[in-house]
Amino acid sequence: HRFYSPLQRDVYAPDFVFRGGVVGPLARFDYFDTMERLGVYKAFKLDHNSFAFSVDPVDPWSVRFYVRNTGKHVEPWQPWGALPPIPLKPTPGKDVVKGPVEAAMITFVPGDREGELKVKFFTTGNVVKFGYEGYEFNTNGLGAVLGLFHAIGIGDVGNLALNSNVRAISNIAASNFDFLKIPKTKSENAPAWWQQG
């Protein structure tokens, strides 16, 4: 997954879909482009701390699990695109990430070669809202990229993405003004199999 390290494009099915708690659906190309533009793996050293992997008893091609992102902001980060050209530099005291538990799932499909699996669907950012006795997070209860904004002290910027109107305008700009390098939050055309919104 590109959030933590460079993306391995060959493991994703042609009709791949990503859906987060706020972002998505993103089709394969838009997901790749968005992950590259966000550049989280370049700016943060994060551990996903995944646990409790379980094959879904209803869909044996799906594996459900949890992540709890922890780590540090280590390099300048400019997640909003090319403008304004003001990368967020790591700031002592505002550089540690302690995320909440997020529910995640990966669905596989057979690949072209015998024994090969491809990722057809991935979801994360679905924050588990209760059960945090004795654990403090610094992401204002948000997961994935939106939580990172809070962890480094600029939560108001991340909160903009919670507004569906802001996301819609951002997507229009991302689709029509490539030079701005704005990450998409929703694909215009998700694969036909995706029906969940």
Side-chain angles (χ1 to χ4, degrees):
H1 181 265
R2 183 85 176 179
F3 202 65
Y4 307 103
S5 62
L7 191 65
Q8 297 176 339
R9 294 173 185 247
D10 60 333
V11 303
Y12 295 88
D15 60 347
F16 168 80
V17 170
F18 170 81
R19 183 66 166 101
V22 175
V23 172
L26 287 174
R28 187 178 196 264
F29 174 81
D30 289 332
Y31 176 74
F32 292 166
D33 191 56
T34 294
M35 291 297 100
E36 185 61 40
R37 288 179 180 197
L38 285 173
V40 171
Y41 80 100
K42 296 175 187 173
F44 291 83
K45 184 174 180 176
L46 295 174
D47 292 313
H48 47 80
N49 304 300
S50 298
F51 63 98
F53 290 85
S54 179
V55 174
D56 188 317
V58 175
D59 179 5
W61 290 98
S62 295
V63 177
R64 295 180 182 272
F65 57 100
Y66 298 95
V67 299
R68 183 184 288 134
N69 292 316
T70 58
K72 198 162 187 174
H73 183 196
V74 295
E75 295 291 336
W77 185 41
Q78 189 160 329
W80 44 74
L83 298 173
I86 307 169
L88 302 168
K89 295 179 181 168
T91 304
K94 293 182 181 179
D95 58 351
V96 172
V97 176
K98 289 179 69 178
V101 173
E102 302 173 35
M105 182 179 85
I106 297 174
T107 300
F108 296 96
V109 293
D112 296 330
R113 295 187 299 267
E114 187 173 335
E116 177 185 52
L117 294 176
K118 299 278 187 178
V119 177
K120 181 176 182 176
F121 177 64
F122 174 56
T123 183
T124 193
N126 306 296
V127 173
V128 176
K129 302 226 180 257
F130 304 101
Y132 289 99
E133 295 302 319
Y135 179 78
E136 293 183 25
F137 50 82
N138 65 352
T139 63
N140 197 38
L142 297 171
V145 174
L146 300 183
L148 297 178
F149 285 104
H150 283 273
I152 65 171
I154 57 163
D156 288 342
V157 174
N159 288 345
L160 289 173
L162 295 173
N163 182 305
S164 61
N165 293 325
V166 171
R167 288 195 312 273
I169 291 167
S170 174
N171 274 332
I172 291 168
S175 295
N176 295 296
F177 304 103
D178 191 58
F179 70 93
L180 293 174
K181 307 289 184 205
I182 297 172
K184 281 193 172 183
T185 62
K186 184 176 183 179
S187 293
E188 284 124 23
N189 297 307
W193 70 265
W194 179 258
Q195 300 294 317
Q196 297 181 41

